[in-house]
Amino acid sequence: MKAVRTFIVEDQGMFRAFLEQWLTALPGFKLVGAAPSSEEGLVLLPGAQPELLIIDLQLPGMDGLEFLAGARRILPGVRALVLSSLEDSLALTRVRESGAQGYLEKSAGPAELRAALQAVADGGHSYSPRYRETLGREQAKPQGVGKILSRREQEVLAHILAGRSSRQTAELIGISARTVEFHRANLMGKLGASNAAELITNARRQGLA
């Protein structure tokens, strides 16, 4: 049986080394590359030609979901398993709307990781129980994040919560700083904030960070 060509994007050196070693010994999979950042990963993808991505959600610069969007412009059919320690509704709503085929917490064990990876490689989906529970509760809310914020607003809010300026956010997302400010203004209106500090406070109060 043909091994599934797999590429890893993970900024934590020790965890990336574990994934590389573990994946190299895993039957049915072939490690074709690894990168510590989204930017480096996008440079390596055309040469690596992976069929499956293992992506850390929290990365320096572009985050894992922005990497996934860029990867699919290069390889439209590539599948993805997202790994993260984040469990807030904003992060998980963004994962759902990214179209990633799987999500698993980094606290999971190797057996859970193998099962999730195999399910995604086989053309299916694999989302952790915590992921499903969190999104189930969020979707039941009249003001759930996916109901009141657009995908771009969610993306901009994630960068604001990470402490990035409008200019930094614009460079990472690939839009103008003026457009970022437009989305920031919309976010303040929707979350009842009059300034950036209130926006962050209100977002945290609503469980978005």
Side-chain angles (χ1 to χ4, degrees), residues 113-133:
L113 177 57
R114 178 173 183 170
L117 196 62
Q118 191 66 62
V120 173
D122 288 343
H125 296 80
S126 179
Y127 304 107
S128 72
R130 191 171 299 170
Y131 171 95
R132 295 193 296 269
E133 291 166 7

Side-chain angles (χ1 to χ4, degrees), residues 22 81 83 103-119 126-130:
W22 177 79
L81 172 66
L83 304 179
Y103 175 90
L104 187 66
E105 294 83 17
K106 283 188 170 181
S107 58
E112 293 171 282
L113 177 57
R114 178 173 183 170
L117 196 62
Q118 191 66 62
S126 179
Y127 304 107
S128 72
R130 191 171 299 170

Side-chain angles (χ1 to χ4, degrees), residues 68 72 80 94-102 125 127 151:
L68 177 56
R72 284 180 169 159
R94 291 187 63 223
V95 171
R96 182 191 65 199
E97 296 188 357
S98 74
Q101 285 80 15
H125 296 80
Y127 304 107
R151 290 180 64 179

Side-chain angles (χ1 to χ4, degrees), residues 158-201:
H159 284 288
I160 291 172
L161 293 171
R164 298 190 178 102
S165 67
S166 293
R167 179 174 295 181
Q168 290 172 320
T169 300
E171 291 174 354
L172 291 169
I173 295 178
I175 59 179
S176 70
R178 180 175 294 182
T179 301
V180 173
E181 289 293 340
F182 170 78
H183 290 305
R184 183 188 288 260
N186 284 344
L187 285 165
M188 288 194 291
K190 291 180 178 182
L191 297 181
S194 58
N195 54 51
E198 284 188 5
L199 177 60
I200 293 172
T201 298

Side-chain angles (χ1 to χ4, degrees), residues 4-10 19 23 29-35 41-42 44-46 48-56 64-83 100-103 113 116-117 120-121:
V4 179
R5 297 174 62 84
T6 308
F7 191 95
I8 298 166
V9 184
E10 167 60 59
L19 288 175
L23 191 66
F29 294 86
K30 179 181 180 181
L31 178 65
V32 294
L42 290 175
L44 296 174
L45 278 187
Q49 290 292 303
E51 302 163 287
L52 178 62
L53 303 171
I54 301 176
I55 310 170
D56 182 12
L65 301 183
E66 290 159 358
F67 167 78
L68 177 56
R72 284 180 169 159
R73 287 191 286 270
I74 300 170
L75 302 167
V78 72
R79 300 178 66 77
L81 172 66
V82 174
L83 304 179
Q101 285 80 15
Y103 175 90
L113 177 57
L117 196 62
V120 173

